């Protein structure tokens, strides 16, 4: 057990050295933070100067990429290219009368979803993000569709 603890401390030391140990940086390494508030990246207390606490901050995965939103059987079929490191995919949907809200959450390995809540004759817009542990990626590209636009479809 002492050996494992020593290895853990060595890993933290290497990570802090690689980051430069700066106390002034509080945004994630990729620079896409956008106001994480009092989250893990800002560090509170802990050991040493950088306020990293128990180890290096987790980095966000890349966002999934929406491939298409297609009307199918009176609902919308949403398909994307997942990122292999995602634990979950969270999808948000908006329509002309409502802002974005979580529409569904699926396992990170999923590549598609039939949104049975998107049934009205209106344009629905989707965006996705990847969740790894408690860390979210940025949002994907946006794509829209209308579940009633099936004219001429077999």
């Amino acid at each position: 057990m002492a050996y494992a603890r020593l290895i853990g401390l060595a890993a933290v030391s290497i990570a802090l050295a690689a980051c430069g140990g700066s106390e002034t940086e509080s945004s994630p390494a990729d620079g896409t933070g956008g106001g994480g508030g009092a989250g893990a990246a800002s560090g509170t207390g802990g050991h040493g100067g950088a306020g990293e606490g128990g180890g290096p901050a987790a980095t966000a995965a890349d966002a999934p990429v929406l491939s298409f939103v297609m009307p199918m059987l009176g609902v919308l079929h949403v398909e994307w290219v997942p990122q292999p490191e995602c634990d979950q995919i969270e999808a948000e949907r908006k329509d002309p009368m409502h802002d974005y809200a979580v529409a569904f959450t699926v396992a990170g390995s999923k590549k598609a979803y039939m949104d049975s809540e998107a049934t009205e004759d209106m344009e629905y817009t989707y965006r996705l993000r990847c969740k790894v542990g408690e860390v979210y990626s940025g949002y994907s590209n946006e794509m829209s569709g209308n579940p009633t636009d099936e004219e001429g479809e077999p």
Side-chain angles (χ1 to χ4, degrees), residues 11-147:
V12 170
S13 297
I14 291 169
L16 286 173
C19 293
S22 171
E23 293 187 74
T24 59
E25 290 185 335
S26 64
S27 61
D30 65 2
T32 60
S42 63
T44 55
H47 305 291
E52 292 292 327
T59 55
D62 291 333
V65 177
L66 275 165
S67 302
F68 61 84
V69 175
M70 176 190 298
M72 191 179 290
L73 303 171
V75 299
L76 286 172
H77 176 79
V78 182
E79 193 164 309
W80 60 88
V81 177
Q83 297 298 329
E85 63 273 9
C86 293
D87 295 332
Q88 293 182 323
I89 302 288
E90 181 182 89
E92 293 185 351
R93 176 186 63 228
K94 72 175 182 175
D95 61 50
M97 297 174 288
H98 302 96
D99 202 6
Y100 276 111
V102 175
F104 58 88
T105 302
V106 296
S109 60
K110 296 288 186 184
K111 299 177 182 178
Y113 184 82
M114 294 290 282
D115 188 0
S116 61
E117 299 295 315
T119 59
E120 299 293 320
D121 181 15
M122 68 176 77
E123 184 104 341
Y124 294 92
T125 303
Y126 294 85
R127 66 184 183 186
L128 308 175
R129 62 185 181 167
C130 170
K131 183 178 180 187
V132 179
E134 295 300 316
V135 179
Y136 288 92
S137 71
Y139 287 105
S140 70
N141 56 315
E142 296 179 345
M143 293 191 96
S144 302
N146 184 327

